[in-house]
Amino acid sequence: MAVYEKSYGGEEALAAAVESSGMTMEDLTSEMETYVKIEKLLGPDIEVTEEEIESYFKENKESLAQPAQVEASHILTATKEESDEVKAKLADGGDFAELAKEYSTDAATAQNGGELGFFGAGEMAAEFEKAAFAMNVDEISDPVETEFGYHIIQVTDKKEAAEATLEDSRDQINELLFDQKLNAEYTKWIAEKQESYEIENTLN
């Protein structure tokens, strides 16, 4: 669960993402427990070879490349007046994270100080994205209007676009191929169990 929380930027952000998908945290926990059981049962017999990893890398090198990304936090307000008020407090030395907790209407990130993590092109509202990618690290924006309200954006880091390398991609590819094989083995295992059950019923 900690891995999921880190990926989504905290416990509350994960809970919000799960809820928006129509699931509950209990559903997620149950799915994780089921996966662990399947992995323990069938995983020891699964092998991902170096040849398979290299072949996957050659076929998918383009999609494995790292796009340009920005890491940012934001404070979302409903009105321009509130956003201007936040900007003034920041100019007076106010703490961004504390002001996010106090003012931000983005419930998924407010208690995390407005942290959004890293994002690439096409993941955010167009106006937000344009502003964030144009900013320097540690810079704080003027209010940016989107369909969600008014954002004060703080850029905390940037990653330049980079071509994928086999070494950097190996673990990711290994995990992906392992999951594919595990799913295939599980489907086969279930089919065999069902067939065995049907035979037993016929014999009875």
Side-chain angles (χ1 to χ4, degrees):
M1 189 67 71
V3 173
Y4 283 96
E5 288 178 2
K6 183 177 180 182
S7 174
Y8 280 88
E11 183 178 349
E12 291 190 13
L14 172 62
V18 169
E19 185 179 344
S20 69
S21 73
M23 293 176 64
T24 66
M25 290 300 289
E26 288 75 18
D27 293 332
L28 178 61
T29 300
S30 178
E31 284 199 3
M32 289 171 63
E33 288 174 350
T34 300
Y35 180 86
V36 169
K37 289 174 183 176
I38 295 168
E39 186 175 8
K40 285 182 177 179
L41 178 68
L42 303 173
D45 295 325
I46 294 175
E47 179 187 3
V48 177
T49 67
E50 180 63 23
E51 289 74 20
E52 288 172 326
I53 292 174
E54 290 179 4
S55 175
Y56 185 93
F57 177 76
K58 288 176 183 176
E59 293 172 9
N60 298 276
K61 185 176 180 180
E62 212 169 290
S63 64
L64 290 166
Q66 176 186 288
Q69 291 183 312
V70 169
E71 182 184 53
S73 298
H74 80 143
I75 300 171
L76 176 63
T77 63
T79 67
K80 177 70 160 53
E81 289 73 23
E82 288 176 309
S83 200
D84 286 338
E85 185 179 332
V86 172
K87 179 69 175 179
K89 288 190 175 184
L90 287 167
D92 286 340
D95 182 78
F96 194 97
E98 290 303 316
L99 288 169
K101 291 176 184 178
E102 181 181 352
Y103 282 91
S104 187
T105 60
D106 181 359
T109 66
Q111 294 308 307
N112 262 350
E115 292 179 10
L116 294 165
F118 278 98
F119 55 87
E123 295 181 45
M124 298 293 180
E127 303 89 346
F128 186 101
E129 183 181 296
K130 181 179 179 181
F133 273 88
M135 293 166 63
N136 297 317
V137 174
D138 295 329
E139 187 177 352
I140 296 176
S141 74
D142 290 327
V144 175
E145 184 180 6
T146 71
E147 61 183 304
F148 305 105
Y150 293 84
H151 309 256
I152 300 289
I153 306 167
Q154 180 182 42
V155 170
T156 50
D157 200 359
K158 282 189 169 185
K159 289 181 181 178
E160 299 298 326
E163 285 190 7
T165 66
L166 179 58
E167 284 309 306
D168 288 343
S169 305
R170 179 174 274 105
D171 288 346
Q172 178 186 347
I173 295 171
N174 184 74
E175 184 177 343
L176 188 148
L177 293 178
F178 177 87
D179 285 345
Q180 288 179 353
K181 291 189 174 190
L182 183 63
N183 286 331
E185 285 299 312
Y186 180 62
T187 301
K188 179 182 174 184
W189 182 79
I190 286 292
E192 289 172 352
K193 287 295 179 185
Q194 288 175 336
E195 185 179 343
S196 173
Y197 177 74
E198 288 167 4
I199 291 171
E200 285 179 15
N201 278 353
T202 302
L203 291 175
N204 291 335

